[in-house]
Amino acid sequence: MSEPFDCDSCKESLYDRKYIQVNDVPHCIPCYDRLYANTCQECKELIEHNSRELYYEDRHYHEHCFRCSRCSRSLADEPFTCQEDALVCNDCYCNEFSTKCVACGKTVMPGSKRLEYGGCAWHEECFVCCGCEQPIGAQSFIPDKDEYYCVPCYEGRFAPRCAHCKQILVQGGVTYRDEPWHKECFLCTGCKVQLAGQPFTTQGEDPYCVKCFSNLYAQKCSACNKPITGFGEGKYISFEERQWHQPCFKCSECSVSLVGAGFFPDGTKILCKTVCEQTFV
């Protein structure tokens, strides 16, 4: 007579029945599933012995329950991530959480080449010059409101041009008569010295350094015979056909300043009231 061969849990005979041994102890299939099978995180039912079981972060799933919480596609053989305890496939994650290209509106996939500027992002191939429509890539660019230009296109369209040589002013320069000039192009009409950063004056539309203007156009002080230029001691006194620097306008005899005082002309001389009274009394 043979020995009994029963399920360790329910004690029913296992002859002619499927069973599973756990630590050399036999169990019928229903008892094994009840005692050892895990509960599916998704459907909350037991994952029976003949079902494929998937495991992720201390949670168990039926193969058909292991799917994207957004699109329901199976994640059994797909890359995925976990977002607030919900499983999400890569496509759904990128569509929902990844940056969108401001040019084409499509997702900028993680790891792909992209350009970011001003809080916005572009696919590398979507970030193009508004002028030539060529991808800017790693080249320098210049923003203009909501448009972006490569340097050659921006310079060709917007950069100021020197009033003298008509070439583009890349940086610096000076403004004369509301027009831009290269510093090296803004020269004295007389001696051709650069005028940027130094005093200058004009005759008609032509700029001159102080020296050239003084030599060519300035009136001479009747006292010191030096030009009256309007620079430095620029204030002057004019009487009839003669002009004086303000400091030079003084009595020819006693040298007292005549600025704001009465005076008397005596040929080429000018005399203060006191000297005149002594002379003609």
Side-chain angles (χ1 to χ4, degrees):
M1 186 174 182
S2 61
E3 294 182 2
F5 185 55
D6 300 332
C7 170
D8 186 69
S9 180
C10 66
K11 305 306 180 183
E12 292 186 6
S13 174
L14 296 177
Y15 284 111
D16 297 324
R17 295 178 63 190
K18 290 183 178 180
Y19 66 91
I20 299 175
Q21 289 192 158
V22 179
N23 296 326
D24 295 329
V25 176
H27 297 273
C28 66
I29 297 302
C31 287
Y32 174 85
D33 287 340
R34 177 174 53 81
L35 294 173
Y36 298 105
N38 294 304
T39 300
C40 176
Q41 177 73 21
E42 181 68 19
C43 69
K44 310 305 180 185
E45 296 182 1
L46 290 178
I47 304 173
E48 298 176 342
H49 71 285
N50 58 349
S51 298
R52 184 181 177 191
E53 180 178 345
L54 299 178
Y55 174 82
Y56 174 71
E57 291 189 352
D58 296 326
R59 290 176 287 182
H60 301 265
Y61 299 84
H62 291 105
E63 181 180 18
H64 59 272
C65 291
F66 193 66
R67 56 180 179 246
C68 174
S69 59
R70 297 328 192 245
C71 67
S72 298
R73 70 191 290 181
S74 173
L75 299 178
D77 299 305
E78 296 283 342
F80 65 91
T81 188
C82 188
Q83 187 69 21
E84 297 180 352
D85 290 332
L87 301 177
V88 184
C89 68
N90 268 11
D91 289 344
C92 288
Y93 180 85
C94 290
N95 289 332
E96 187 170 346
F97 300 104
S98 292
T99 304
K100 300 291 192 301
C101 172
V102 297
C104 69
K106 296 180 180 179
T107 300
V108 181
M109 299 298 290
S112 63
K113 291 183 178 181
R114 67 179 182 178
L115 188 142
E116 295 183 356
Y117 177 77
C120 298
W122 291 261
H123 294 107
E124 186 179 44
E125 62 274 15
C126 291
F127 189 66
V128 300
C129 170
C130 291
C132 62
E133 299 184 352
Q134 295 300 308
I136 294 175
Q139 302 177 58
S140 298
F141 66 91
I142 300 173
D144 183 62
K145 297 179 181 178
D146 292 330
E147 296 181 331
Y148 303 89
Y149 294 87
C150 65
V151 174
C153 284
Y154 185 84
E155 290 180 346
R157 290 190 176 201
F158 304 107
R161 293 182 178 272
C162 174
H164 176 71
C165 69
K166 310 305 180 184
Q167 298 301 308
I168 290 170
L169 271 157
V170 178
Q171 60 182 3
V174 296
T175 300
Y176 173 64
R177 293 188 180 276
D178 295 326
E179 292 183 314
W181 297 63
H182 290 112
K183 289 181 179 180
E184 57 271 22
C185 291
F186 188 58
L187 307 176
C188 171
T189 306
C191 65
K192 306 304 179 183
V193 69
Q194 287 190 26
L195 296 177
Q198 65 170 302
F200 69 93
T201 188
T202 61
Q203 179 66 21
E205 294 186 357
D206 298 326
Y208 288 88
C209 68
V210 175
K211 183 177 179 181
C212 285
F213 181 83
S214 299
N215 291 334
L216 293 171
Y217 301 106
Q219 299 286 343
K220 299 295 191 299
C221 175
S222 294
C224 69
N225 203 39
K226 293 181 179 179
I228 300 173
T229 63
F231 297 94
E233 296 292 344
K235 294 181 179 180
Y236 67 96
I237 307 296
S238 179
F239 176 70
E240 294 181 345
E241 298 297 325
R242 292 182 289 172
Q243 289 82 30
W244 292 262
H245 294 110
Q246 194 174 78
C248 295
F249 190 61
K250 53 193 176 185
C251 177
S252 301
E253 296 294 333
C254 69
S255 298
V256 68
S257 174
L258 297 177
V259 177
F263 67 93
F264 298 91
D266 182 23
T268 59
K269 297 180 179 180
I270 52 173
L271 303 175
C272 68
K273 182 178 181 181
T274 301
V275 170
C276 187
E277 289 175 348
Q278 293 175 350
T279 302
F280 295 104
V281 170

